[in-house]
C-alpha cells in the first residue's frame, strides 16, 4: 500500500450530517449547499488551484456544535458555521496557503 504526502496545503472538511445519529445543530442549515458555496469560492481563486480540497464529511463527531468545518493539516475547527461565514473561511484558507497566520 503506497503512502504519500498529501498534495493539498489545506483539506477542508464540511460536515453534512449524513451519518450523524443526533441530527441536531448540523441539521439546522444546509451544509451540503454551504460546501458547494465554499468550493465555488475556492475554485474562483487561481492561487488556490490544486492546493485546496473542499470535501464532504458525513460527521466530524461534534454534532452539538455544528455545522462544523475542519481544516487539515492545520487542525483548525470552525463550529456553528453559517453561509455568511464562507468569506471568512476563504480568507483563512488563502492565508494558510500563502503561509500567513489566518485571521482571528
Ligand atoms: S453531523 Fe456530526 S459533526 Fe456535523
Amino acid at each position: 500500500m503506497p503512502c504519500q504526502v498529501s498534495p493539498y496545503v489545506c483539506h477542508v472538511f464540511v460536515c453534512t450530517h449524513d451519518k450523524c445519529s443526533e441530527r441536531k445543530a448540523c441539521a439546522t442549515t444546509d451544509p451540503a449547499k454551504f460546501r458547494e458555496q465554499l468550493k465555488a469560492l475556492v475554485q474562483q481563486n487561481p492561487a488556490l488551484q490544486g492546493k485546496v480540497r473542499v470535501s464532504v464529511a458525513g460527521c466530524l463527531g461534534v454534532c452539538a456544535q455544528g455545522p462544523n468545518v475542519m481544516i487539515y493539516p492545520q487542525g483548525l475547527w470552525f463550529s456553528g458555521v453559517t453561509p455568511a461565514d464562507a468569506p471568512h473561511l476563504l480568507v483563512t484558507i488563502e492565508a494558510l496557503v500563502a503561509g500567513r497566520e489566518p485571521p482571528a
Side-chain angles (χ1 to χ4, degrees), residues 14-18 26 29-39 56 67:
V14 179
C15 74
T16 54
H17 65 81
D18 295 339
C26 295
T29 62
D30 186 347
K33 184 176 179 181
F34 172 76
R35 181 248 180 187
E36 289 302 320
Q37 178 187 7
L38 183 60
K39 183 178 176 181
V56 167

Side-chain angles (χ1 to χ4, degrees), residues 14-27 31 57-70 77:
V14 179
C15 74
T16 54
H17 65 81
D18 295 339
K19 298 177 182 174
C20 178
S21 59
E22 298 180 36
R23 294 191 179 260
K24 292 182 179 175
C26 295
C59 177
L60 292 166
V62 281
C63 311
Q65 298 175 63
N68 296 286
V69 173
M70 294 188 183
W77 171 22

